[in-house]
Amino acid sequence: MALQVYGIPNCGTCKKAIAWLDRNAVEYEFINTKETPPTQAQIEDWIATLGSKPMRNTSGQSYRALGEKKDTWGDADWAKAFAANAMLLKRPLFVKDGKAVMVGFKAAEAVVKETLGV
């Protein structure tokens, strides 16, 4: 599968993204990060492409529970944290042909289409 979408089924933003993909007849594989969390190696690759900051789910309880120590973390620290708790990852995260291309789903439709190559 060329496009993978990482997220959780009950996430509103994931539902919105999935509905958009379906409406636009885009083939994808949905990967539930609660059931199949990404590996630290995958996360490190994603961070190398996207950076750790855009990948942070700053609105979640898991993020707030980290306290102030998170403010001093670098990418390696975030990779460990994301691998330990996938709920820290912003959703959805799109991987195309093995490479992370986009996280979240707030961009304009033209940007989404270009980024995902559809």
Side-chain angles (χ1 to χ4, degrees), residues 76-95:
D77 299 306
W78 280 107
K80 289 177 191 170
F82 292 147
N85 184 355
M87 294 303 289
L88 291 169
L89 286 166
K90 188 171 190 169
R91 303 175 296 265
L93 191 141
F94 298 87
V95 175

Side-chain angles (χ1 to χ4, degrees), residues 8-28:
I8 57 174
N10 62 338
C11 167
T13 307
C14 291
K15 288 178 182 179
K16 180 179 169 185
I18 295 303
W20 185 90
L21 291 168
D22 290 343
R23 271 194 319 275
N24 287 276
V26 177
E27 285 189 45
Y28 62 90

Side-chain angles (χ1 to χ4, degrees), residues 6 31 33 36-47 55 79-80 82-84 86 89:
Y6 287 81
I31 299 167
T33 56
T36 310
T39 66
Q40 186 161 341
Q42 285 175 299
I43 292 166
E44 288 169 356
D45 285 344
W46 298 345
I47 288 173
M55 292 174 51
K80 289 177 191 170
F82 292 147
L89 286 166

